[in-house]
Amino acid sequence: MTVSFKVNGKKESVEADSDTPLLWVLRDFLDLTGTKFGCGKGVCGACTVHLDGAAIRSCQVPLSAIEGKNVSTIESLGESAPKLLESWVENNVPQCGYCQSGQIMQAAALLAENNDPSDEDIEISMRGNLCRCMTYNRIKTAIKK
C-alpha cells in the first residue's frame, strides 16, 4: 500500500504493508529516529508524536490510518516549540533521556491546548508517559515554565 501524508510539513509517500505502525514508518522509512520504541503496546508514551495536532502513540497507529494527515515528530519542535525545549534543558529534565521525545511531544500537545495548565492538568495529560528515571517533578516544572 502507498500512503501520502505530511511529516513535519513535508509531503511524503511511503509504500509498506497497511498495518505497519507509524513508528516504524518514521524510523525505518523516513529516517526520523527521534521517536523512540518503548513498549510496543501504547502504554509507555516513548513513541508519542502528533497526528493532526493530537498526541498519539505511533506504535499503535497503522500506516493505513494516516493517509492525507499531518504528522509532527520531535524533530519539528525546534521551530514550533523552542521555549518548551529551552525549559526542558534549563530544568535539567532528562537523565537517561530515552523517554524524553515522547514526554516533550505530549507536553507540547498539552500546551497547544492550554498555555497555562494547572498541576492537575499536567498530571492528567502526562499520566501515560512513563519515565524510569522518575523526573516527573522536573517535567512538571519545565511545562509550567
Side-chain angles (χ1 to χ4, degrees):
M1 151 177 240
T2 300
V3 174
S4 297
F5 55 99
K6 282 188 177 179
V7 177
N8 301 334
K10 180 182 171 191
K11 286 186 177 185
E12 297 286 356
S13 251
V14 171
E15 186 174 337
D17 290 339
S18 63
D19 62 348
T20 303
L22 175 57
L23 171 64
W24 300 119
V25 170
L26 295 170
R27 291 183 61 80
D28 295 346
F29 290 82
L30 301 177
D31 202 31
L32 293 169
T33 58
T35 303
K36 304 299 182 198
F37 173 77
C39 66
K41 296 180 181 186
V43 296
C44 75
C47 68
T48 303
V49 299
H50 298 169
L51 184 63
D52 288 340
I56 56 105
R57 304 303 187 247
S58 63
C59 71
Q60 296 298 297
V61 175
L63 178 63
S64 60
I66 63 170
E67 176 70 43
K69 300 204 177 190
N70 294 303
V71 177
S72 299
T73 69
I74 190 72
E75 287 88 352
S76 72
L77 286 191
E79 293 178 22
S80 65
K83 289 182 182 179
L84 177 60
L85 297 177
E86 290 169 15
S87 182
W88 224 257
V89 171
E90 182 180 312
N91 288 284
N92 297 312
V93 174
Q95 281 189 351
C96 83
Y98 196 82
C99 70
Q100 295 307 299
S101 62
Q103 297 279 0
I104 292 168
M105 293 302 290
Q106 186 70 43
L110 167 64
L111 292 171
E113 291 180 14
N114 178 356
N115 65 358
D116 188 23
S118 67
D119 286 352
E120 183 179 15
D121 294 334
I122 294 169
E123 290 166 11
I124 290 169
S125 178
M126 302 302 291
R127 186 174 287 149
N129 289 74
L130 304 179
C131 175
R132 68 181 181 182
C133 300
M134 304 301 287
T135 64
Y136 299 114
N137 287 334
R138 287 185 269 174
I139 289 168
K140 188 187 304 182
T141 300
I143 292 170
K144 288 193 80 69
K145 217 166 189 197

